[in-house]
Amino acid sequence: MTPATRVALLTPMGKSALATFALIGPGSVSLANQLFRSAKGPPIDERDFRPRYGHFGIGLSDDVVVTQRPGSAELIVEIHCHGGTAMVSALIEQLIARGAVRVPWQEFERAAGYSMIQVEAMEALGQVTAPKGADLLVDQWQGSLDRAFTFLRQTRDQKLLHELFAWEKLGAHLAEPWRVVFFGKPNVGKSSLVNALAGFERAIVSATAGTTRDLLSVDVTFEGWPFRLLDGAGLRDTDDPIEKEGVQRILAEIELADLRIEVVDLTEDPDRFKSTQADLVIGGKGDAPSHWNAKQRDSLDGIVSARTGESLDELIRMIVKRLIPVEPSPGQAIPFTDRQRQELRQLIALPS
Ligand code: GDP
């Protein structure tokens, strides 16, 4: 049976200057030609891959450029139009009315001959914000992980399996930022510190204890990797229902975070928030006269000043080192989705 001609929107749905939708399957060219009027020159022709410019749609139509994607498993016609969501939907509907079947873009790319891992890499590349994550995802798209899986399915090589597991956590954070939560008593300088690390004024910074009630977050790139810095209500007992809610939220975040940084105030008597676990304890307000003696200061992982910027670069280095102690070499195979991690687990469970 001849497979149906399928249509998919290849760019994310939303406001944008341009959008691309595409047809795949043997009937793609004739179906596209039902709606395409070339501005000058011939209609779309499957033996001639040159781009065409013209109008697409009957009644409601748009100026488009039509291209064909060479080298894919099936014939593909791509239509590049303006990005208004109503127009894009209307043009796709016109194709569906003429027999095309709508499929998700992932299914479309699979039919075009891309592996599951390549499609997952394309999806992750759409979310990525930091350059090192992008580089590694391009490596996976180019075949690093596909090659590793092919080898593993044949050999169950334990060394390679363990190597891939070692990159699991990093792989989960190529596109998704590592969550770093800053907590501590009210007024110790958490918001100022997060602002200083992010390089701009974002949260309300105030001398009144308990001002920062909401959980605020900012996404940053440190040394090429993505991080989400979170700061929230100061941890203290309170009767204020709004502040209570803020404290609950930061406590929940402390549970979930990849790294917990407790901030303590060097201008106050040494005191820490006892009931939560910190990965790093940082003394803030390092520029001001301190109430802490040398031994107490030595017990901290670092001393910084949001006001002067002192030692912020060291804190950034410390955060990166804790979460990414070793950087992968270019071309390293790295599992980066739940599906891939599950497949690895299945492979390790199977007898070799
Ligand atoms: P939070 O409640 O822990 O988020 O604390 P804030 O960031 O709102 O800061 C509380 C107070 O400490 C404000 O008056 C800030 O100006 C002051 N502060 C914050 N960071 C520093 C710092 O690095 N040095 C000094 N001297 N004061 C700071």
Side-chain angles (χ1 to χ4, degrees):
M1 205 177 82
T2 319
T5 304
R6 285 140 289 160
V7 60
L9 177 62
L10 301 187
T11 43
M13 197 38 139
K15 283 183 189 158
S16 63
L18 296 172
T20 299
F21 57 95
L23 290 160
I24 188 166
S28 297
V29 166
S30 60
L31 183 53
N33 273 328
Q34 288 182 34
L35 294 173
F36 179 66
R37 298 284 163 274
S38 189
K40 58 176 183 202
I44 310 158
D45 179 343
E46 60 196 70
R47 288 150 308 178
D48 177 357
F49 273 42
R50 276 175 295 181
R52 302 282 196 277
Y53 170 72
H55 302 289
F56 198 88
I58 291 171
L60 201 60
S61 71
D62 192 13
D63 293 342
V64 299
V65 174
V66 178
T67 54
Q68 290 183 67
R69 205 193 281 181
S72 62
E74 291 189 63
L75 188 68
I76 291 183
V77 176
E78 291 190 341
I79 297 117
H80 311 275
C81 61
H82 294 101
T85 50
M87 176 61 82
V88 173
S89 300
L91 296 181
I92 290 176
E93 282 307 321
Q94 291 188 25
L95 287 166
I96 292 169
R98 285 163 182 78
V101 176
R102 178 134 193 197
V103 293
W105 72 266
Q106 293 91 337
E107 200 179 302
F108 186 97
E109 297 296 357
R110 293 285 283 129
Y114 290 106
S115 74
M116 193 70 182
I117 288 173
Q118 284 180 306
V119 172
E120 287 166 335
M122 289 178 204
E123 198 159 2
L125 277 163
Q127 317 290 323
V128 75
T129 54
K132 284 186 184 162
D135 282 351
L136 289 163
L137 284 167
V138 169
D139 286 341
Q140 311 319 307
W141 186 84
Q142 288 175 334
S144 298
L145 190 59
D146 269 317
R147 283 191 291 275
F149 268 114
T150 304
F151 184 69
L152 278 176
R153 284 185 205 109
Q154 289 162 357
T155 63
R156 310 259 186 281
D157 184 85
Q158 293 296 307
K159 190 166 161 280
L160 181 58
L161 265 171
H162 287 104
E163 183 186 313
L164 292 192
F165 271 122
W167 294 115
E168 227 186 11
K169 191 108 200 208
L170 182 101
H173 292 95
L174 295 181
E176 186 66 27
W178 299 87
R179 297 171 81 85
V180 180
V181 64
F182 291 78
F183 71 95
K185 300 206 156 184
N187 233 19
V188 293
K190 300 177 294 297
S191 305
S192 307
L193 182 55
V194 170
N195 279 340
L197 288 169
F200 60 90
E201 283 296 316
R202 180 194 46 85
I204 307 159
V205 176
S206 141
T208 319
T211 308
T212 314
R213 286 174 171 174
D214 207 3
L215 185 63
L216 297 168
S217 79
V218 58
D219 287 356
V220 293
T221 300
F222 290 153
E223 299 182 10
W225 301 106
F227 297 91
R228 178 159 299 160
L229 310 182
L230 299 128
D231 79 286
L235 297 172
R236 65 170 180 182
D237 291 330
T238 173
D239 291 329
D240 178 333
I242 300 173
E243 196 181 346
K244 234 182 191 156
E245 170 65 23
V247 171
Q248 282 310 317
R249 280 159 76 176
I250 197 85
L251 286 173
E253 189 54 47
I254 289 170
E255 289 290 309
L256 288 175
D258 298 300
L259 192 72
R260 289 154 274 265
I261 300 183
E262 180 169 356
V263 183
V264 294
D265 189 341
L266 294 180
T267 67
E268 298 286 329
D269 288 335
D271 192 12
R272 286 193 47 198
F273 193 79
K274 307 273 177 329
S275 67
T276 41
Q277 202 63 42
D279 299 304
L280 294 173
V281 184
I282 298 296
K285 310 189 190 177
D287 58 288
S290 172
H291 281 216
W292 294 48
N293 65 33
K295 191 158 173 256
Q296 289 162 336
R297 291 164 72 96
D298 280 349
S299 71
L300 299 170
D301 294 298
I303 291 178
V304 300
S305 165
R307 188 160 288 174
T308 63
E310 175 200 324
S311 301
L312 291 183
D313 49 349
E314 276 164 43
L315 176 56
I316 289 173
R317 231 170 291 136
M318 224 185 288
I319 292 171
V320 175
K321 204 76 196 157
R322 279 288 171 125
L323 291 171
I324 307 153
V326 187
E327 294 213 358
S329 317
Q332 170 67 50
I334 297 178
F336 58 94
T337 66
D338 279 343
R339 189 199 62 80
Q340 295 160 7
R341 289 185 280 273
Q342 264 167 25
E343 185 168 350
L344 270 187
R345 291 212 158 66
Q346 280 162 4
L347 281 169
I348 216 162
L350 289 172
S352 39

